[in-house]
Amino acid sequence: MEILLNPGPVNLSKRVRRALLKPDLCHREIEFSELQNSILGKLLDVYNLDSNQWAAILLTGSGTAAMEAMMISLIPDNGKILIIENGVYGERLSRIAEIHDISYNSLHYEWGEEVDIGKLQQSLTDDITHVAVVHHETTTGRLNDIAAIADVCKSRNISLLLDGVSSFGAEEICFQEWNIAACAATANKCLHGIPGASFVVTNRNAVKQAGNIQRTLYLDLHTYLRQQDKGGTPFTQSVQSFYALDEALDEHHDEGGWRNRQAVYRTRMESVKTALHEIGIESLLPEKISSCVLHAFRLPEGIDYTALHDRLKEYGFIIYAGQGEFATRIFRISLMGAIGDDDLKRLLDAFRQIVQ
Ligand SMILES: *Cc1c(COP(=O)(O)O)cnc(C)c1O
């Protein structure tokens, strides 16, 4: 089987794959209700959140469904959002606002650039009620400084919406301290489940305060939360994805939670970076600002992305291209999922053979 070094979906562990074989379930039966409740509790447990104050809301869809649900369910008609962009996913948040006619301003940076807190403060005009930002910008591997952004939002009583799709489960997310209103995430990145389930972890007050917004039928978090609290779900959910997520959350817990996952990713990336730097492949961004989840490297002289990708695929490894203008300049490696030390060794040998 190929080893996936793309930022999700990930290689499954044996125990998560086995969970896919559990019995078929009707989503209106008590067994489904129990499965869903189990997942909801475990999702809150990842960051020790109290279920009286917080709720996880489960959706069938990819990470973008969770981003979109969060944006269109939580910003009232008379609200206005400032969207911070420094990569593809920040720009996607703006696109969502545009499509749904949500009043917004963008604070735009080039991909990979740092978010300037002074500029953020200047951009927060009195009409801004919400700020949205990507935690780990998967475009470049930059981990945005949410603590600093959150401080500004808190001081102005502004609600903070976070795209944590590629950080939830492996990076620190201080829901309380950062006063997060909601965070969108997915099953198939740092949590090691399968694609098909995504979720929004939200402060229950944020849902109440948003009131009754009518922008969507399918992605309305209010509807989901109301039914989930009674053990139900408004629509057919991806039962098998839920089985996998439930098992993946147990595995996540058994292995030591987000802190351990962060440590594992860091150790893996450290060995990859060391080996690639040794053969002249440079990092796009400095160490200090990089996530533990993904690292972007500059393409080595004389080898384009397709050639590198295809050679590595012959060895059984799938790397990930840069997007937009980065397509010809970088490649990306993520080390989530069930990857063994022997896999890593083989990967580094493959790089040495191909590049030297
Ligand atoms: C992967 C990702 C998404 C969602 O992508 P999907 O393909 O819809 O799962 C959103 N935001 C970030 C930061 C991501 O890395």
Side-chain angles (χ1 to χ4, degrees), residues 27 41 73 133 224 343 349:
H27 64 293
S73 303
V133 64
Y224 280 88
D343 298 321
D349 284 343

Side-chain angles (χ1 to χ4, degrees), residues 62-64 67 89 92 134 136 138 163 165-166 189:
S62 79
T64 305
M67 289 167 77
Y89 296 98
R92 184 173 294 179
V134 177
H136 165 217
T138 321
D163 171 350
V165 176
S166 62
K189 294 199 186 185

